[in-house]
Each structure stands twice: as structure tokens, then as C-alpha cells.
């Protein structure tokens, strides 16, 4: 049992180090030597868990990125009854988190999508799955909001969710391109103003 637990902890350490490398340098810039240095592992130990760099990159998307988006987005939606307020608070949180970042690296999902989706089908399929998972989390929340009388009945949750999540990705990408995390407050503020227009009127509930 202890051996299995240690093996799982080692695998997690490798994945976390790989995630950091990819976030800082991109997948193509990820160096196995840097991961070994961070984890204090021998190369043979790393390849015991992941046979090559590509398998490690895929695992980062499948396990780390997917897990992050599921945890963060779903947790936020569980905190508040109104999904529109939840989205707004999520974006305020994102803006505040990166306000004083010396180097803003943007959104890991968006970064990998821009770098790898068009050139590697394995990355494309995995990134699409993460995107679809986040998208459908918003769709389900909006649909429930309509049932509860909190979200306008005349909107299409699928289209609105895609627009909101795409806007989120674009805002993170623009702030990264300009290395101006201070833009996040203004841009997410504008997106939050739009989200206010999706609220059901007081007369409907």
C-alpha cells in the first residue's frame, strides 16, 4: 500500500513539474531536464511513468488541466444559486489573482490550444474535451438558472455559454499578449456588464 502511495505521489510530482514547465515555456519549450531537476528524479524514473515527452504532455491535459477546470468552475457554481452572479465573481477573482503579476502567462488551456491544437491531433482532442467540459458546466448552470427564474428564458444557453467562455479565453490571451494584467479588470468588467443583461426581470419571479 505504501509503495502504491509513493508511486502515485511521484507521478503527481512529475505532472505538477511538467505543468509548470508548460505554463512557463509552452509544451515545445518544456525540457525533461528541467522536470528532473524540479522533481529530483533520475531520467529512468520519469520514463517509468511516462514513456516519452508526448505522453507526459497528454497526461498534463487529461489529468491536471481537466481537473483544474472541473474543480474551479464547478466549485464556483456550487457557491451561489444565481449562475450569472457566479460567473461575474469568477471573472473578478481571475482579474484580482493576476493584478500584480510580474509576468502574466495567460490561460494554460488557451496557451496550449494556440500552440498545439492545429499540429497534433492528440492534443487537439484532449484540449477540445477540456473546453467542452467547461462549456457544458456553464450551459447546465444557465439552464438551471432559467428554471429557477434567474436567467432570461429567451436566451440560448449553449450559444451564450460558448460566447462567455470564448470571451474569457480571448481576454486572458489579450492581457498575455500585451503583458498587461491590469487590463483584466476593465475587460472582465465589460464582460460582466454583458452578463447583467442576461438576468431575468423582477416581473418574471
Amino acid at each position: 500500500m505504501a509503495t502504491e502511495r509513493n508511486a502515485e505521489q511521484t507521478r503527481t510530482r512529475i505532472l505538477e513539474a511538467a505543468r509548470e514547465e508548460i505554463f512557463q515555456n509552452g509544451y515545445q519549450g518544456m525540457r525533461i531536464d528541467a522536470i528532473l531537476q524540479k522533481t529530483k528524479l533520475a531520467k529512468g524514473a520519469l520514463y517509468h511513468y511516462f514513456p516519452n515527452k508526448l505522453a507526459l504532455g497528454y497526461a498534463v491535459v487529461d489529468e491536471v488541466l481537466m481537473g483544474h477546470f472541473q474543480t474551479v468552475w464547478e466549485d464556483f457554481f456550487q457557491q451561489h444559486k444565481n449562475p450569472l452572479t457566479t460567473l461575474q465573481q469568477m471573472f473578478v477573482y481571475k482579474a484580482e489573482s493576476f493584478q500584480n503579476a510580474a509576468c502574466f502567462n495567460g490561460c494554460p488551456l488557451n496557451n496550449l490550444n494556440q500552440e498545439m491544437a492545429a499540429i497534433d491531433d492528440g492534443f487537439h482532442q484532449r484540449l477540445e474535451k477540456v473546453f467542452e467540459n467547461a462549456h457544458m458546466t456553464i450551459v447546465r448552470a444557465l439552464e438551471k438558472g432559467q428554471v429557477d427564474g434567474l436567467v432570461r428564458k429567451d436566451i440560448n444557453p449553449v450559444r451564450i455559454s460558448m460566447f462567455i467562455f470564448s470571451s474569457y479565453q480571448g481576454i486572458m490571451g489579450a492581457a498575455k499578449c500585451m503583458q498587461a494584467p491590469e487590463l483584466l479588470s476593465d475587460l472582465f468588467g465589460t464582460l460582466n456588464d454583458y452578463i447583467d443583461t442576461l438576468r431575468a426581470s423582477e416581473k418574471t419571479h
Side-chain angles (χ1 to χ4, degrees), residues 35 51 71 82 84 90 113 140 145 153 174 179 200:
I35 295 173
T71 299
N82 193 315
L84 302 177
M90 161 73 79
N113 184 49
R140 288 190 293 269
K153 293 276 203 281
Q179 276 303 295

Side-chain angles (χ1 to χ4, degrees), residues 42-43 45-46 54 58 70 79 93-94 130 136-137 149 164-165 174 182 186 200-201:
K43 186 173 290 187
L46 186 150
L54 190 61
Y58 286 169
Q70 286 179 326
Q79 290 175 19
Y93 164 77
K94 289 291 184 181
V130 178
M136 289 308 299
T137 297
I164 289 174
F165 194 66
E182 64 275 10
D186 286 341
S201 67

Side-chain angles (χ1 to χ4, degrees), residues 124-174:
H124 170 249
Q125 292 178 13
R126 286 167 170 82
L127 292 165
E128 185 177 35
K129 187 176 179 180
V130 178
F131 189 102
E132 181 68 11
N133 184 275
H135 163 55
M136 289 308 299
T137 297
I138 300 173
V139 171
R140 288 190 293 269
L142 292 176
E143 288 175 341
K144 186 175 186 305
Q146 287 180 318
V147 172
D148 293 341
L150 301 169
V151 178
R152 283 168 38 199
K153 293 276 203 281
D154 62 325
I155 70 161
N156 183 318
V158 174
R159 291 180 181 176
I160 295 298
S161 170
M162 185 63 73
F163 174 74
I164 289 174
F165 194 66
S166 297
S167 297
Y168 161 74
Q169 295 280 300
I171 288 170
M172 295 289 277

Side-chain angles (χ1 to χ4, degrees), residues 111-125 127:
N111 294 347
L112 265 178
N113 184 49
Q114 295 293 327
E115 180 188 9
M116 299 302 300
I119 63 175
D120 183 90
D121 192 54
F123 267 108
H124 170 249
Q125 292 178 13
L127 292 165

Side-chain angles (χ1 to χ4, degrees), residues 28 69 77 85 97-98 107 122 133 159 177 182 198-200:
Q28 296 178 77
F69 272 90
F77 279 116
T85 300
S97 296
F98 299 108
C107 171
N133 184 275
R159 291 180 181 176
C177 180
E182 64 275 10
L198 306 176
R199 296 183 185 277

Side-chain angles (χ1 to χ4, degrees), residues 53-96:
K53 179 179 175 179
L54 190 61
L56 179 54
Y58 286 169
V60 169
V61 178
D62 288 338
E63 301 177 42
V64 181
L65 287 188
M66 178 66 85
H68 170 77
F69 272 90
Q70 286 179 326
T71 299
V72 173
W73 288 79
E74 290 179 6
D75 281 358
F76 261 87
F77 279 116
Q78 289 173 2
Q79 290 175 19
H80 303 281
K81 180 180 179 182
N82 193 315
L84 302 177
T85 300
T86 298
L87 285 167
Q88 290 174 324
Q89 292 188 351
M90 161 73 79
F91 298 141
V92 169
Y93 164 77
K94 289 291 184 181
E96 292 177 348

Side-chain angles (χ1 to χ4, degrees), residues 17-18 21-22 25-38 46-47 53 56:
E21 274 292 300
I22 291 173
N25 305 306
Y27 168 76
Q28 296 178 77
M30 179 180 75
R31 296 183 300 109
I32 296 298
D33 287 347
I35 295 173
L36 296 176
Q37 186 175 13
K38 287 181 177 180
L46 186 150
Y47 286 128
K53 179 179 175 179
L56 179 54

